[in-house]
């Protein structure tokens, strides 16, 4: 039973100090006259602003290009949209070709905050790398995926959890290369 929805998109141009973004959202009201048909955008705006400020401080950088933040009101609608090719299991996405990202809000605040912060980290990464490389998209290909995704998780989780900290410390202090227990080289291509 596949259900397709026609999205009635709206947008607001938003600014957080030196960063500008366009928040896209749609009417999620079940019936005409609902008091707040744009509740996801109203909820997300202050969360996004806080995350942009935190990342600007962490990166010592403000995005120079206005980016688009597409906010979906459910995971199902996020998967239905054809803005990006989305594989199963993808929870948010940021383009490396243009300043656009898409995030679903599926009713869990902490999940939304985590995914939003993760994808905003990618937005900062892409814009800063593009600026430093003079717009040469190959600059993004230099960094290994484990590093890019690891950085996004690190910032979205406010640092490293205790279990990961112990695991990394063990790899540094007690490596066992015969069993594959060692830190990989930075540009190593393996898993």
């Amino acid at each position: 039973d596949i259900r397709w929805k026609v999205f009635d998109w709206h947008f607001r141009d938003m600014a957080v100090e030196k960063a500008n973004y366009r928040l896209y959202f749609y009417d999620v009201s079940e019936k005409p006259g609902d008091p707040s048909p744009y509740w996801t955008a109203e909820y997300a705006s202050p969360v996004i602003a806080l995350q942009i400020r935190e990342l600007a401080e962490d990166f010592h950088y403000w995005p120079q290009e206005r980016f688009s933040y597409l906010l979906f009101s459910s995971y199902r609608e996020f998967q239905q949209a054809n803005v990006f090719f989305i594989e199963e299991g993808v929870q948010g996405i940021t383009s490396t070709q243009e300043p656009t990202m898409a995030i679903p809000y599926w009713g869990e605040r902490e999940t939304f905050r985590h995914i939003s912060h993760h994808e905003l980290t990618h937005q900062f990464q892409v814009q800063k790398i593009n600026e430093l490389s003079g717009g040469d998209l190959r600059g993004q290909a230099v960094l290994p995926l484990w590093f890019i995704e690891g950085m996004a998780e690190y910032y979205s989780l406010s640092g490293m959890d205790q279990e990961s900290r112990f695991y990394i410390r063990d790899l540094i202090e007690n490596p066992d290369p015969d069993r594959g227990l060692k830190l990989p080289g930075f540009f190593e291509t393996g898993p």
Side-chain angles (χ1 to χ4, degrees):
D1 181 23
I2 298 174
R3 298 171 193 227
W4 295 100
K5 179 175 183 169
V6 175
F7 298 102
D8 181 18
W9 288 102
H10 304 275
F11 68 87
R12 286 188 194 148
D13 286 329
M14 312 288 279
V16 180
E17 297 183 38
K18 300 176 188 176
N20 294 297
Y21 69 98
R22 180 168 280 177
L23 178 62
Y24 286 90
F25 54 93
Y26 50 90
D27 186 344
V28 295
S29 61
E30 295 296 320
K31 54 188 178 254
D34 276 354
S36 181
Y38 309 115
W39 66 267
T40 50
E42 292 168 2
Y43 167 74
S45 296
V47 172
I48 296 167
L50 176 64
Q51 291 172 343
I52 289 172
R53 283 187 186 92
E54 288 174 359
L55 288 167
E57 184 176 319
D58 291 336
F59 275 70
H60 306 287
Y61 174 79
W62 289 94
Q64 302 300 301
E65 196 172 348
R66 180 177 72 193
F67 60 92
S68 298
Y69 189 114
L70 284 72
L71 179 62
F72 289 87
S73 297
S74 75
Y75 187 61
R76 183 181 197 168
E77 292 167 354
F78 169 71
Q79 289 180 312
Q80 173 199 316
N82 61 2
V83 179
F84 292 98
F85 173 71
I86 299 173
E87 296 179 19
E88 188 175 337
V90 171
Q91 297 179 340
I93 192 161
T94 301
S95 173
T96 58
Q97 307 298 313
E98 58 185 302
T100 303
M101 53 193 290
I103 311 290
Y105 177 76
W106 47 15
E108 298 174 4
R109 287 184 205 176
E110 289 309 311
T111 301
F112 169 74
R113 287 181 178 162
H114 174 241
I115 295 168
S116 175
H117 208 128
H118 181 103
E119 296 304 327
L120 279 167
T121 301
H122 287 320
Q123 189 62 237
F124 273 74
Q125 290 169 330
V126 168
Q127 288 210 27
K128 189 168 185 177
I129 290 170
N130 283 345
E131 187 176 321
L132 292 173
S133 68
D136 184 0
L137 294 177
R138 290 175 296 179
Q140 297 172 36
V142 172
L143 297 174
L145 184 60
W146 69 263
F147 179 77
I148 292 169
E149 289 298 330
M151 181 189 285
E153 278 299 286
Y154 180 84
Y155 285 117
S156 67
L157 296 172
S158 300
M160 190 182 300
D161 65 21
Q162 199 67 17
E163 185 178 340
S164 298
R165 190 180 323 274
F166 289 144
Y167 181 73
I168 297 297
R169 186 170 53 222
D170 255 5
L171 289 179
I172 293 170
E173 293 179 1
N174 306 303
D176 188 353
D178 295 335
R179 292 180 44 211
L181 300 173
K182 66 181 179 80
L183 284 177
F186 188 78
F187 292 105
E188 198 168 301
T189 58

